[in-house]
């Protein structure tokens, strides 16, 4: 085998899954950097790498050194030490501070930090507090490094090490060795397959009940991420067996153990042919579904509780029309009257059918009667839009329920309920089962609930189909709006959205005079080029929209030539090529990038789908600062798995949001995702302008495909 020894200058690619690196190495006596590729044990910029392997000629990237084994050692030159400690390795030391420290201590710098750190006080800008920070970070880094080496010895990427250490601390290796399957549910980003790979390398028996329980839990969680609340027992055993390849008896034993431990609930339900079948729920979903049904029925049968005379619907509606200077259509009058007379009401309809006017009228009527009114929506953007449209303050459901990460959980609950006579829930189709459970707990039984939504949109990201189940149960008053009002008929977005949802091809205008137009192109690479041109040049030039603030690319998939990954990389380089950059695994973040939060983080008060701009990257403090919803959110470098680039986002992630301009790629390679409700949801996200770029064939497939996956949910039957 050939040998290569040099200093690590930079990492150009790193796989979070298995630690595979593409690295640039500085060889003594050479001005050109050498490319080394392979699995290396978590090297740090500036370290000396002693590698064994072979030289290869890559057809695209040229000469490379393929690494078979690699040993890392700390640098001993001033340049190497400066690069090493200023690389972001140690919280409290950035490139400028590293230069000052090495300028004083030279080749002895690492020894000083390791054995006599108090001497750093002689460096300008370093006080007692920073010395303590550096000492703590240096100690922690050594411990994290041992976790990294342990993980990579079991075939797992080192990028998970910081998160594992943050969760388990000094007991990390002990806990993983005892039960590696804990990683799958304790550490975000590590799924069952990765945990199973560690376990197998550590010698865990593939037929162990511990492995079977972890596999069942993984399968149920995978199904819940697809929207299912439960899974038939036989199907669960079959699906888990594909994953584990073990005897069915082991799986049945594992399920019984999980049932006894209250991790799952088994209930006999009816299948589509009305035959009884045993179904398995994760405990939390079963409990929530039962409680949601009970609470809805309890609110429905409890009389309206407020002081004063009952409202006279005819007089109240007449007064509201006069105050708002509007003339209501018959269907709108029906909806408003239902909002006065019923305890629980569902109003559903597409764009341009008058939902906003109805909402404003109902709110005015309740306000006139001195009733306490609250407005809520699942996302920040939806709540903001609701406030702007009605003139009444609206909050996200999480903020309405006052989540407090210090006290733990929602502070509004059955013991501290909301002060309201009326709660209006907008974008109700987005509310999943677990969130609806927490919301209903906090609603006084005497209050009125009005849910407003569009059942033709995509269902909630979380498990359940709450709004559809409420309608399907036929237990509550539902008003369906289907008339497009005259003013809305002038919008190509509204007209074509309704054509699409009825299975009709949209009017395919390519005129920029319309607010929805199509650019037809079959080649995905050309589609990407046209999207870049649209976002960077054509739309800003014609409509004066900001590429960052006003234009949003929405795509059906994450992978492929025109998936979110490819478009984000291309738009990052086109719109923000020069921002200060850091790499975290396979991701690159730059100051000025548009990013999105991809999971709820109650500690930071940010939620799945929130979008912001990176305003600073602090290498010394190891933080990325994102301006989001009017405030700065600080992310530790180890938390960057919570954010992704958001120049382009999936259509699913856009639910509840509205953007001045939307660009939608639509190609046949998206085949599995080309569905009518997906296209409808994407088009209705555009407020003023929608541009669809893609092929006629893909458009036709999406319009014709009305096969919506049915979710396993039993809420409608519990309500009945």
């Amino acid at each position: 085998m050939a040998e290569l020894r040099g200093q690590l200058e930079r990492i150009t690619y790193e796989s979070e899954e298995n630690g595979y690196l593409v690295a640039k190495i500085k060889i003594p006596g050479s001005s050109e950097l050498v490319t080394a590729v392979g699995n290396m044990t978590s090297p740090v910029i500036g370290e000396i790498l002693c590698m064994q392997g072979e030289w290869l000629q890559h057809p695209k990237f040229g000469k490379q050194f393929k690494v078979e084994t690699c040993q890392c050692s700390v640098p001993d030159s001033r340049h190497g030490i400066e690069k090493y400690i200023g690389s972001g390795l140690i919280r409290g030391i950035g490139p400028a501070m590293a230069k000052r420290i090495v300028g004083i201590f030279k080749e002895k710098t690492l020894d000083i930090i390791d054995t006599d750190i108090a001497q750093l006080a002689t460096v300008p800008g370093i006080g007692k507090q920073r010395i303590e920070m550096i000492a703590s970070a240096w100690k922690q880094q050594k411990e994290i490094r041992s976790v990294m080496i342990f993980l990579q010895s079991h075939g797992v990427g080192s990028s998970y090490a910081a998160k594992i250490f943050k969760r388990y601390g000094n007991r990390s290796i002990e806990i993983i060795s005892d039960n590696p399957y804990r990683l799958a549910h304790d550490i975000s980003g590590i799924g069952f397959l990765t945990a199973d790979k560690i376990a197998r390398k550590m010698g865990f028996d593939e037929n162990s009940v511990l492995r079977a329980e972890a596999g069942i839990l993984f399968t149920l969680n995978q199904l819940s991420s697809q929207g299912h609340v439960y899974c038939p027992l036989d199907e669960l055993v079959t699906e888990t067996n594909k994953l584990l390849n073990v005897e069915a008896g082991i799986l049945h034993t594992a399920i019984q153990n999980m049932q006894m431990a209250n991790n799952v609930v088994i209930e006999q339900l009816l299948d589509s042919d009305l035959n009884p079948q045993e179904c398995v729920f994760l405990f939390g979903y079963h409990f929530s579904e039962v409680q949601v049904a009970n609470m809805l029925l309890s609110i429905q049968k409890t009389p309206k509780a407020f002081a004063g005379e009952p409202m006279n619907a005819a007089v109240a509606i007449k007064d509201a029309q006069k105050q708002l200077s509007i003339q209501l259509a018959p269907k709108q009058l029906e909806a408003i009257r239902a909002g006065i007379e019923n305890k629980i009401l569902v109003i559903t309809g597409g764009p341009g059918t008058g939902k906003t006017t109805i909402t404003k009228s109902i709110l005015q009527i309740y306000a006139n009667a001195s009733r306490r009114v609250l407005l809520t929506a699942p996302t920040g953007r939806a709540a903001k839009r609701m406030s702007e449209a009605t003139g009444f303050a609206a909050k996200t459901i999480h903020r309405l329920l006052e989540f407090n990460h210090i006290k733990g959980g929602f502070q509004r609950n059955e013991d501290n309920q909301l002060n309201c006579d009326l709660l209006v829930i907008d974008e109700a189709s987005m509310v999943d089962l677990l969130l609806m459970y927490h919301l209903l707990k906090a609603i006084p039984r005497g209050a009125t609930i009005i849910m407003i939504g569009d059942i033709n949109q995509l269902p909630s990201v979380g498990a359940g189909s709450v709004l559809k189940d409420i309608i399907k149960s036929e237990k509550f008053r539902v008003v369906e709006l289907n008339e497009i009002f005259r003013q809305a008929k002038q919008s190509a977005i509204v007209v074509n959205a309704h054509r699409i949802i009825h299975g009709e091809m949209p009017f395919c205008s390519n005129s920029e005079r319309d607010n929805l137009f199509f650019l037809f192109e079959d080649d995905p690479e050309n589609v990407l080029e046209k999207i870049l041109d649209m976002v960077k040049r054509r739309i800003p030039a014609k409509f004066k929209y900001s590429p960052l603030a006003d234009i949003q690319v929405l795509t059906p998939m994450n992978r492929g030539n025109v998936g979110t990954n490819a478009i984000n990389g291309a738009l990052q380089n086109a719109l923000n090529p020069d921002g200060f950059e850091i790499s975290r695994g396979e991701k690159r973040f730059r100051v000025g990038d548009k990013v999105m939060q991809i999971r709820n983080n109650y500690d930071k008060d940010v939620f799945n789908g929130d979008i912001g701009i990176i305003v600073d990257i602090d290498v010394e403090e190891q933080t990325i600062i994102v301006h989001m919803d009017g405030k700065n959110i600080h992310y530790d470098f180890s938390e960057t798995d919570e954010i992704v680039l958001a120049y382009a986002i999936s259509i699913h992630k856009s639910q509840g949001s509205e953007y001045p301009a939307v660009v939608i790629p639509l190609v046949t390679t998206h085949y599995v995702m080309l569905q009518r409700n997906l296209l409808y949801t994407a088009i209705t996200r555009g407020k003023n302008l929608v541009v669809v770029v893609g092929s006629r064939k893909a458009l036709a497939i999406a319009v014709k495909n009305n096969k919506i996956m049915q979710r396993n949910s039993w809420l409608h039957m519990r309500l009945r």
Side-chain angles (χ1 to χ4, degrees):
M1 298 177 91
E3 288 193 359
L4 180 67
R5 188 176 189 276
Q7 181 179 310
L8 178 61
E9 281 289 308
R10 65 177 182 270
I11 295 170
T12 57
Y13 172 82
E14 180 180 3
S15 168
E16 292 188 350
E17 187 64 32
N18 58 21
Y20 179 86
L21 298 180
V22 178
K24 294 294 184 181
I25 310 296
K26 183 176 176 60
I27 307 301
S30 173
S31 59
E32 291 190 10
L33 299 179
V34 171
T35 301
V37 300
N39 295 79
M40 303 175 223
T41 311
S42 324
V44 176
I45 303 298
E47 276 190 325
I48 304 300
L49 307 186
C50 187
M51 298 162 281
Q52 288 187 317
E54 60 179 327
W55 289 100
L56 299 174
Q57 189 69 29
H58 192 281
K60 183 176 180 182
F61 300 112
K63 191 177 182 182
Q64 296 180 337
F65 189 81
K66 185 182 179 185
V67 178
E68 293 296 331
T69 65
C70 175
Q71 288 186 321
C72 306
S73 58
V74 295
D76 52 15
S77 70
R78 293 186 194 182
H79 171 76
I81 294 169
E82 184 182 315
K83 203 163 184 66
Y84 180 67
I85 66 172
S87 64
L89 174 74
I90 308 167
R91 186 189 293 271
I93 301 179
M97 184 64 73
K99 192 175 187 69
R100 293 207 295 272
I101 293 171
V102 176
I104 293 174
F105 299 110
K106 302 178 176 55
E107 288 83 358
K108 294 182 178 179
T109 297
L110 296 179
D111 288 336
I112 294 293
I113 294 174
D114 206 28
T115 61
D116 193 8
I117 199 166
Q119 284 199 49
L120 292 186
T122 61
V123 179
I126 296 187
K128 183 180 177 183
Q129 192 172 356
R130 187 172 291 270
I131 288 174
E132 289 174 357
M133 181 197 299
I134 293 169
S136 172
W138 181 253
K139 180 175 181 288
Q140 190 178 87
Q141 191 58 40
K142 283 183 173 180
E143 291 164 341
I144 290 174
R145 191 58 176 269
S146 66
V147 177
M148 286 179 174
I149 293 167
F150 173 81
L151 287 174
Q152 287 202 322
S153 70
H154 294 95
V156 181
S158 60
S159 57
Y160 296 122
K163 281 191 279 187
I164 291 170
F165 186 81
K166 190 173 182 179
R167 178 65 187 260
Y168 301 142
N170 294 329
R171 297 186 61 225
S172 296
I173 293 174
E174 176 192 337
I175 288 170
I176 296 169
S177 300
D178 183 52
N179 180 8
Y181 293 107
R182 280 187 60 173
L183 294 170
H185 49 85
D186 284 353
I187 311 296
S188 64
I190 297 185
F192 171 80
L193 297 177
T194 302
D196 193 39
K197 184 163 67 172
I198 297 172
R200 300 296 296 279
K201 283 208 169 192
M202 291 173 64
F204 274 73
D205 183 1
E206 67 173 13
N207 292 313
S208 71
V209 174
L210 185 70
R211 179 171 183 254
E213 288 178 10
I216 290 160
L217 194 62
F218 173 76
T219 303
L220 286 171
N221 279 315
Q222 287 291 100
L223 290 168
S224 70
S225 71
Q226 296 167 23
H228 299 297
V229 178
Y230 67 84
C231 180
L233 177 60
D234 292 343
E235 184 182 322
L236 177 62
V237 170
T238 301
E239 288 302 309
T240 309
N241 207 17
K242 290 178 186 175
L243 181 75
L244 302 181
N245 192 27
V246 297
E247 292 179 6
I250 295 171
L251 294 174
H252 282 289
T253 299
I255 291 169
Q256 287 170 6
N257 290 350
M258 295 170 76
Q259 184 182 19
M260 289 173 66
N262 282 333
N263 292 323
V264 300
V265 174
I266 300 176
E267 185 177 3
Q268 198 167 78
L269 308 177
L270 300 177
D271 64 16
S272 56
D273 297 322
L274 301 181
N275 296 315
Q277 61 176 350
E278 287 192 307
C279 296
V280 183
F281 295 74
L282 287 167
F283 180 85
Y285 286 117
H286 184 270
F287 180 81
S288 296
E289 191 173 82
V290 170
Q291 292 301 313
V292 164
N294 289 341
M295 288 187 286
L296 282 169
L297 294 172
S298 175
I299 291 169
Q300 170 85 330
K301 71 182 183 184
T302 304
K304 290 189 180 228
F306 47 73
E309 293 293 317
M311 283 187 273
N312 182 310
V315 173
I317 292 170
K318 184 179 178 182
D319 289 344
Q321 286 188 103
K322 187 176 180 182
Q323 285 175 287
L324 297 172
S325 302
I326 54 173
Q327 187 63 44
L328 295 164
K331 201 73 175 180
Q332 290 177 313
L333 290 168
E334 178 191 336
I336 295 165
R337 193 173 293 110
I340 296 170
E341 295 171 351
N342 290 274
K343 282 298 302 301
I344 295 178
L345 168 68
V346 175
I347 300 172
T348 180
T353 56
K355 295 194 298 292
T356 301
T357 301
I358 291 167
T359 305
K360 285 171 70 173
S361 301
I362 290 172
L363 292 172
Q364 188 65 55
I365 287 167
Y366 273 79
N368 288 345
S370 301
R371 307 293 189 244
R372 299 167 300 167
V373 172
L374 290 175
L375 281 67
T376 192
T379 68
R381 284 175 177 266
K384 185 179 179 183
R385 194 170 74 244
M386 195 183 191
S387 294
E388 291 169 350
T390 64
F392 286 75
K395 293 181 179 179
T396 63
I397 295 173
H398 291 91
R399 292 195 173 104
L400 183 75
L401 297 180
E402 298 173 16
F403 187 91
N404 187 306
H405 69 274
I406 297 171
K407 295 180 181 178
F410 294 110
Q411 300 309 294
R412 292 288 185 174
N413 49 41
E414 63 270 40
D415 298 320
N416 181 29
Q417 292 187 319
L418 298 164
N419 298 314
C420 66
D421 300 308
L422 168 68
L423 178 68
V424 179
I425 308 167
D426 198 18
E427 296 287 358
S429 62
M430 288 182 64
V431 183
D432 62 39
L433 180 66
L434 298 183
L435 191 56
M436 182 58 83
Y437 162 69
H438 286 293
L439 181 57
L440 289 174
K441 277 201 304 180
I443 299 173
R445 295 296 168 261
T448 296
I449 303 175
I450 298 178
M451 300 176 223
I452 302 169
D454 185 346
I455 56 169
N456 292 315
Q457 285 187 28
L458 291 168
S460 60
V461 175
S465 51
V466 176
L467 187 66
K468 280 189 176 179
D469 279 350
I470 288 170
I471 295 169
K472 193 175 175 182
S473 74
E474 299 180 345
K475 284 285 185 181
F476 309 98
R477 181 66 193 279
V478 178
V479 177
E480 187 173 350
L481 307 171
N482 40 39
E483 178 189 351
I484 307 175
F485 286 92
R486 186 178 63 188
Q487 188 176 356
K489 285 180 179 176
Q490 297 170 8
S491 166
I493 294 172
V494 172
V495 170
N496 282 310
H498 283 271
R499 288 182 66 83
I500 288 165
I501 212 61
H502 289 108
E504 301 170 9
M505 284 291 285
F507 298 119
C508 295
S509 167
N510 61 0
S511 167
E512 294 185 15
R513 291 190 302 272
D514 290 329
N515 63 357
L516 168 64
F517 65 96
F518 295 79
L519 288 178
F520 289 114
E521 173 59 62
D522 292 333
D523 187 333
E525 289 190 11
N526 291 340
V527 168
L528 179 57
E529 288 302 316
K530 288 189 175 181
I531 288 170
L532 294 180
D533 187 44
M534 273 287 161
V535 175
K536 186 177 180 180
R537 186 183 65 82
R538 286 180 64 178
I539 294 175
K542 173 104 178 148
F543 300 97
K544 310 303 179 191
Y545 285 147
S546 160
L548 283 180
D550 301 322
I551 305 171
Q552 185 61 59
V553 179
L554 304 178
T555 179
M557 296 181 75
N558 292 322
R559 300 190 182 279
N561 287 12
V562 284
T564 57
N565 298 338
I567 297 174
N568 272 318
L571 281 173
Q572 183 187 44
N573 289 330
L575 300 177
N576 187 30
D578 302 320
F580 176 76
E581 178 181 289
I582 63 158
S583 297
R584 305 302 298 169
E586 299 167 35
K587 299 177 183 176
R588 283 178 168 73
F589 294 112
R590 296 173 185 162
V591 173
D593 274 340
K594 183 179 183 179
V595 294
M596 178 175 64
Q597 176 79 16
I598 58 170
R599 65 177 66 97
N600 291 340
N601 186 322
Y602 300 108
D603 293 350
K604 296 184 189 297
D605 195 31
V606 290
F607 303 101
N608 192 350
D610 286 353
I611 288 177
I613 302 292
I614 294 177
V615 293
D616 191 24
I617 296 174
D618 190 325
V619 177
E620 284 191 16
E621 298 294 330
Q622 295 187 2
T623 56
I624 294 177
I625 301 171
V626 180
H627 189 73
M628 198 178 280
D629 197 20
K631 58 184 182 294
N632 286 341
I633 310 298
H634 291 247
Y635 293 87
D636 188 86
F637 281 2
S638 66
E639 297 174 320
T640 51
D641 63 313
E642 293 192 13
I643 54 174
V644 295
L645 293 178
Y647 300 98
I649 64 175
S650 70
I651 295 168
H652 282 85
K653 289 287 188 186
S654 74
Q655 287 175 263
S657 297
E658 189 177 67
Y659 312 93
V662 163
V663 179
I664 306 165
L666 211 63
V667 295
T668 51
T669 52
H670 289 154
Y671 189 85
V672 294
M673 296 297 291
L674 294 178
Q675 297 169 345
R676 189 183 298 173
N677 64 341
L678 191 87
L679 178 59
Y680 173 81
T681 300
I683 284 176
T684 53
R685 299 309 90 205
K687 185 177 181 181
N688 303 321
L689 176 69
V690 175
V691 182
V692 180
V693 186
S695 71
R696 289 181 186 273
K697 184 177 180 181
L699 177 64
I701 291 169
V703 171
K704 290 175 185 175
N705 182 9
N706 199 30
K707 293 178 182 176
I708 300 169
M709 185 189 76
Q710 295 301 312
R711 296 182 165 195
N712 290 336
S713 166
W714 204 245
L715 178 61
H716 64 289
M717 292 302 292
R718 295 190 198 283
L719 288 167
R720 286 182 184 179

